[in-house]
Amino acid sequence: MSWYEDWFNQDEYELVYHRRDEREAEQVVDLIEQLAQPAPGSEILDVGCGRGRHARVLARRGYRVTGIDVAERALQIAQARAAAEGLSNVRFVRHDMRNPFCQACFDGVVNLFTAFGFFEEDADHFRAIRAMATALRPGGWLVQDFLNADYVQRYLVPRDQEQRSGIEVIQERWIENGRVNKRIRLRRDGQEQIFYESVRLLRLEDFQQLYRAAGLTLEATRGDYAGGPFTPDSPRLILYARKTAA
């Protein structure tokens, strides 16, 4: 099992990322609407949707949303939360982002909170971008939210720890072979669980190359969820692209 299927299925995932809340998701969707200006009722594919934090915000705003992910437990949680809100315009499907979900059936695609860069082979990253492009109708839009590799390298915190709900959370980070890696240690009642993350440090020029090969045109970048410009010191690399209309 890949690290992302293992870790993203754990209930403790939300404990570690407790700061990534509904308020942040609302801000991200505000930015998506500013960049893409989706038509009311647009059909949107959320690739790597996880527990559906962004998909549910999009659905609340009237879009028809499909969230895909490989983490089955995360999808179950997403579906339960959408049902609890009475959201009938969102669905969640287990699917590998490297494989096309459909052909020309969505107005927009989102890929958020660094739900990318996981794969060992760069060819798989291209497969995933191509699958996103394939899902778009001609002229459709893509918003992709990734880490800023320069920022990560400059400000990497090698280690931190905190107590959350009786659990000691220790995070250790390092950069190796063009990837940023994290070891997550969760200690409770004398027991320890260990999980890992590993993300390829893709840069703007890497995405530009991937987009061109997939028939996408990069139209804008942003450096944070407030819509600030992208610079080497930006915490995020947010990309807005369009599929060739022909």
Side-chain angles (χ1 to χ4, degrees):
M1 179 182 290
S2 61
W3 69 260
Y4 45 88
E5 287 182 87
D6 179 27
W7 173 223
F8 295 161
N9 271 314
Q10 302 296 323
D11 291 340
E12 290 82 2
Y13 174 85
E14 288 185 298
L15 182 84
V16 172
Y17 288 104
H18 61 92
R19 294 182 181 87
R20 306 305 187 181
D21 56 15
E22 293 288 322
R23 181 179 177 182
E24 183 190 75
E26 294 277 358
Q27 187 181 31
V28 173
V29 174
D30 285 344
L31 180 58
I32 291 168
E33 291 184 323
Q34 291 169 22
L35 288 168
Q37 300 181 356
S42 290
E43 293 186 86
I44 299 175
L45 179 67
D46 184 355
V47 176
C49 66
R51 288 158 169 76
R53 187 163 55 106
H54 302 97
R56 287 184 289 108
V57 175
L58 288 163
R60 285 183 216 131
R61 298 190 187 191
Y63 305 112
R64 291 172 289 170
V65 186
T66 298
I68 61 172
D69 206 292
V70 294
E72 188 169 2
R73 169 65 177 154
L75 292 171
Q76 291 170 352
I77 293 170
Q79 189 63 60
R81 289 175 179 173
E85 289 189 52
L87 295 171
S88 60
N89 55 332
V90 60
R91 62 176 178 142
F92 298 96
V93 181
R94 191 170 190 270
H95 186 80
D96 188 322
M97 71 169 69
R98 290 169 288 187
N99 300 323
F101 184 73
C102 63
Q103 185 166 356
C105 51
F106 287 95
D107 302 302
V109 170
V110 297
N111 175 242
L112 306 170
F113 192 43
T114 316
F116 197 74
F118 302 158
F119 309 117
E120 293 293 329
E121 301 295 331
D122 283 340
D124 283 331
H125 296 128
F126 174 63
R127 285 179 59 198
I129 293 293
R130 183 175 58 189
M132 294 180 206
T134 299
L136 286 172
R137 298 185 174 105
W141 54 268
L142 166 68
V143 174
Q144 193 163 19
D145 161 37
F146 197 67
L147 54 78
N148 178 0
D150 290 334
Y151 182 93
V152 168
Q153 288 189 302
R154 189 173 290 119
Y155 299 111
L156 185 75
V157 177
R159 188 181 189 276
D160 61 41
Q161 65 185 87
E162 63 175 333
Q163 288 280 343
R164 295 286 303 174
S165 303
I167 300 175
E168 184 179 17
V169 180
I170 302 168
Q171 300 186 74
E172 301 162 322
R173 306 172 184 86
W174 70 98
I175 292 173
E176 184 177 11
N177 297 326
R179 303 179 71 91
V180 58
N181 304 285
K182 183 191 291 187
R183 181 186 297 111
I184 302 158
R185 300 181 185 272
L186 305 176
R187 294 174 178 169
R188 173 174 43 194
D189 300 328
Q191 303 294 317
E192 182 178 75
Q193 293 175 284
I194 300 178
F195 301 99
Y196 292 92
E197 297 179 5
S198 181
V199 175
R200 179 89 154 84
L201 288 172
L202 297 164
R203 288 177 160 76
L204 175 58
E205 53 268 29
D206 297 311
F207 283 100
Q208 289 173 316
Q209 183 176 356
L210 289 167
Y211 286 2
R212 282 194 298 268
L216 297 166
T217 301
L218 181 63
E219 296 201 348
T221 59
R222 296 292 186 269
D224 56 47
Y225 296 147
F230 174 70
T231 72
D233 278 326
S234 301
R236 309 297 299 169
L237 169 58
I238 301 166
L239 308 108
Y240 165 57
R242 287 271 180 181
K243 183 175 180 177
T244 304

